[in-house]
Amino acid sequence: MFKSLLLLSLVLLMTNCATEEIGQKNVAQSSSEAKIWFDNHQKDYSSTVLNYIGSLQWQNAIISEGEDGQIIEVPFNLSSNLSATTKEANQYNDHHRLMFIKDEQNGFKLFYIQILTNDENYKIQDKNYNYYNIKDTFNGKIFVQELATNAGTKIEFKKGKKLEPSLTAKYSENEIQCVYYGYWYEDGHFEPLYEVGCYASGGSDPQYLPAPDYGGGTSTNPNPSEGCPAGYVYKLGDCFLDQKIFDQLTGKAKCIYLRLMASSLFSNAIKKFDGDFSVSHLKLTINNNLDPYVFGITKPPVNYITEIQYDNTKLGTLSDLGSATVFAHEIIHAEMFRKMLSAAQSGSLDPATMTAQQQTAYVNALKDNYPGLMDYFYNRFHATWNHDMMATHYRGIIADIIQQFDNNRLPRSTYESVAWFGLGNLGDGKTTVAWANLSTAQKTAISNLISQNIYKGPSNCN
């Protein structure tokens, strides 16, 4: 038996060695063909990139097979210590390859591939990153340029998943991104020197561009039983990435959450924290020892996790509508954190800790997309969370959520009044500005409706 096992081991070893040797020969042969062709045809192209290639690493050529046949990718570094980034200077770790695809005339189509990430410390020196395969941890963009026509496309990824461009989006300065060669300086700013090309999602001339099926990584393998990608969990009629959102709730908090998730407004708010927006994830937990008169609390993000704590004991003193109002109130707090982090692309909420480059991007994003955030949290930055903004800008959203939760049982004006719960008197004699600006009659009417509906009313969750 020992001799048989030894013989089998030797056969397998020889077979593996032979297979590996054949594979290496195939790679060498393919890259050799591409190199000979490129040496003979490089002068036919006038693209910017060809002027700044340091040296092509033919010995590290990456061969992959897919929809467009065999693809050969040859890594290289830029000459003169140049780097590449977008006009916004928000992409890092530029990685460059020439890509060769055989055509019908036994020649090659030539493409320029740039892989850039959102993370300064992310490593992409890996053969697993090829045009047919992207890891499920990759956040960033791949820019593809066909060098004969300069047609280009931008492909964006979140957690290794390709993001599809909007069918209704128009190409504007915001949708089109231009890539430049230049230098990063120690203070964090980038000096552009040469424009490489401008790219839009979908490509300016898609017929020239390869169309791979990005099936690499676990995030794109479907789960046949539920239709969810692997690593996701099927719950409440949809796919969710982070089980913490659901599994740590108990008692009345869990019951209210399940009922809220049956409505589109609240469930859509939850999904914003579900992996694709990696600046902030959500964690819902129970804490039955919150301060008196506090039913829920939202903590500032720590390591990109925004935690909301609910007190089951205190929720038990509220009607179901009152508890749903607490949930809606806290999810708005969390959404404000998420928007701040998304706009700033930083783990810090304090503009004083940002680089000049980050501050510029932060201010522009807030000014263009969230004027209320710009006003409350940049021009007048507060170290503590500010209910004034919720009272001024988001009360209507709270009213929308609880009205949908309550199946329109009450007049709209009642839901608008109930939405004031937690946004009027804040304790210790403090009130929001919006509440202080109401007349005495308005405050009395709202307070009466809050008392009639927050602490009383139907309850199916105990």
Side-chain angles (χ1 to χ4, degrees):
M1 182 179 293
F2 174 77
K3 290 181 179 180
S4 298
L5 289 174
L6 180 60
L7 178 61
L8 177 61
S9 299
L10 288 172
V11 170
L12 290 174
L13 179 61
M14 293 172 65
T15 303
N16 289 337
C17 291
T19 301
E20 183 177 348
E21 184 178 348
I22 291 171
Q24 291 173 345
K25 287 182 178 178
N26 289 338
V27 170
Q29 181 178 349
S30 296
S31 60
S32 177
E33 290 177 10
K35 184 178 186 306
I36 292 171
W37 179 89
F38 181 68
D39 289 341
N40 292 329
H41 293 85
Q42 180 176 356
K43 60 182 180 300
D44 299 336
Y45 297 88
S46 58
S47 299
T48 300
V49 59
L50 298 180
N51 297 325
Y52 297 101
I53 293 178
S55 61
L56 287 167
Q57 301 167 18
W58 293 99
Q59 72 280 9
N60 296 324
I62 301 166
I63 311 293
S64 55
E65 300 281 349
E67 181 179 342
D68 295 281
Q70 186 183 76
I71 282 182
I72 304 163
E73 296 173 65
V74 184
F76 66 89
N77 295 321
L78 295 174
S79 62
S80 304
N81 294 317
L82 288 168
S83 295
T85 188
T86 55
K87 184 178 182 180
E88 299 79 13
N90 62 359
Q91 296 290 298
Y92 308 97
N93 278 313
D94 49 309
H95 190 71
H96 310 270
R97 297 173 184 175
L98 287 186
M99 183 171 72
F100 300 82
I101 303 178
K102 274 193 173 181
D103 61 20
E104 293 80 3
Q105 289 75 39
N106 293 320
F108 289 90
K109 289 182 180 179
L110 182 60
F111 297 85
Y112 172 35
I113 305 292
Q114 297 177 77
I115 307 175
L116 292 92
T117 72
N118 302 333
D119 183 354
E120 291 184 71
N121 300 314
Y122 197 82
K123 303 300 182 185
I124 49 180
Q125 307 289 336
D126 189 332
K127 287 188 177 183
N128 287 323
Y129 288 101
N130 59 65
Y131 196 72
Y132 286 121
N133 183 55
I134 295 296
K135 284 186 175 180
D136 60 358
T137 56
F138 179 66
N139 294 309
K141 298 180 177 70
I142 293 180
F143 297 93
V144 185
Q145 187 180 50
E146 206 276 340
L147 296 189
T149 64
N150 291 322
T153 192
K154 173 186 68 174
I155 310 171
E156 188 168 1
F157 294 85
K158 291 284 187 181
K159 297 292 183 182
K161 296 172 65 178
K162 178 184 175 184
L163 302 184
E164 297 295 340
S166 170
L167 296 176
T168 59
K170 296 180 179 178
Y171 289 160
S172 67
E173 287 187 358
N174 292 328
E175 280 84 37
I176 295 177
Q177 285 192 301
C178 298
V179 177
Y180 293 85
Y181 291 159
Y183 296 105
W184 288 102
Y185 287 87
E186 290 184 0
D187 61 2
H189 86 275
F190 180 81
E191 181 182 351
L193 298 177
Y194 313 104
E195 182 180 294
V196 182
C198 294
Y199 306 83
S201 300
S204 55
D205 197 356
Q207 64 176 314
Y208 288 104
L209 299 173
D213 177 15
Y214 281 100
T218 58
S219 62
T220 55
N221 296 326
N223 181 337
S225 62
E226 300 291 0
C228 290
Y232 283 66
V233 178
Y234 183 84
K235 288 179 179 176
L236 309 170
D238 214 330
C239 301
F240 289 88
L241 180 65
D242 190 354
Q243 296 184 57
K244 295 176 183 177
I245 289 179
F246 177 85
D247 289 342
Q248 296 195 22
L249 293 183
T250 59
K252 186 166 187 176
K254 183 173 183 177
C255 179
I256 294 296
Y257 175 79
L258 288 170
R259 287 179 56 191
L260 276 166
M261 287 300 294
S263 62
S264 60
L265 291 174
F266 186 84
S267 61
N268 286 337
I270 290 286
K271 290 175 188 175
K272 292 182 179 181
F273 299 87
D274 188 33
D276 284 345
F277 293 80
S278 58
V279 294
S280 183
H281 299 290
L282 198 59
K283 179 180 179 181
L284 308 185
T285 61
I286 296 297
N287 181 355
N288 289 328
N289 296 301
L290 296 179
D291 291 340
Y293 308 109
V294 175
F295 299 88
I297 186 171
T298 303
K299 295 184 174 183
V302 176
N303 296 327
Y304 303 103
I305 298 291
T306 299
E307 182 178 358
I308 303 178
Q309 296 181 348
Y310 295 101
D311 191 316
N312 258 330
T313 303
K314 296 189 180 73
L315 287 179
T317 67
L318 302 181
S319 68
D320 286 359
L321 179 61
S323 297
T325 305
V326 172
F327 268 79
H329 180 108
E330 299 305 329
I331 202 65
I332 294 298
H333 274 309
E335 173 64 2
M336 290 161 71
F337 277 127
R338 191 192 67 79
K339 284 182 176 179
M340 286 290 293
L341 293 173
S342 297
Q345 285 294 305
S346 168
S348 170
L349 293 176
D350 187 352
T353 66
M354 298 179 188
T355 66
Q357 173 191 337
Q358 288 173 322
Q359 287 189 38
T360 299
Y362 173 88
V363 172
N364 288 339
L366 293 184
K367 181 172 61 178
D368 294 341
N369 300 313
Y370 313 113
L373 286 171
M374 173 72 177
D375 182 42
Y376 277 86
F377 295 101
Y378 193 86
N379 292 340
R380 293 183 286 147
F381 179 75
H382 294 282
T384 57
W385 207 243
N386 192 335
H387 282 87
D388 279 334
M389 185 178 181
M390 292 179 67
T392 303
H393 295 284
Y394 294 124
R395 258 186 312 107
I397 297 176
I398 296 174
D400 291 341
I401 291 174
I402 61 176
Q403 182 175 355
Q404 192 176 59
F405 167 86
D406 205 38
N407 295 316
N408 301 297
R409 182 177 58 88
L410 303 170
R412 171 67 183 183
S413 58
T414 300
Y415 297 113
E416 291 176 346
S417 295
V418 171
W420 274 105
F421 185 54
L423 295 177
N425 294 314
L426 303 178
D428 298 327
K430 298 177 182 178
T431 63
T432 60
V433 174
W435 179 260
N437 288 336
L438 296 178
S439 67
T440 301
Q442 288 174 316
K443 293 176 183 176
T444 300
I446 291 171
S447 297
N448 287 338
L449 286 171
I450 287 176
S451 297
Q452 294 167 15
N453 292 281
I454 288 288
Y455 298 100
K456 302 175 184 178
S459 180
N460 295 312
C461 291
N462 297 316

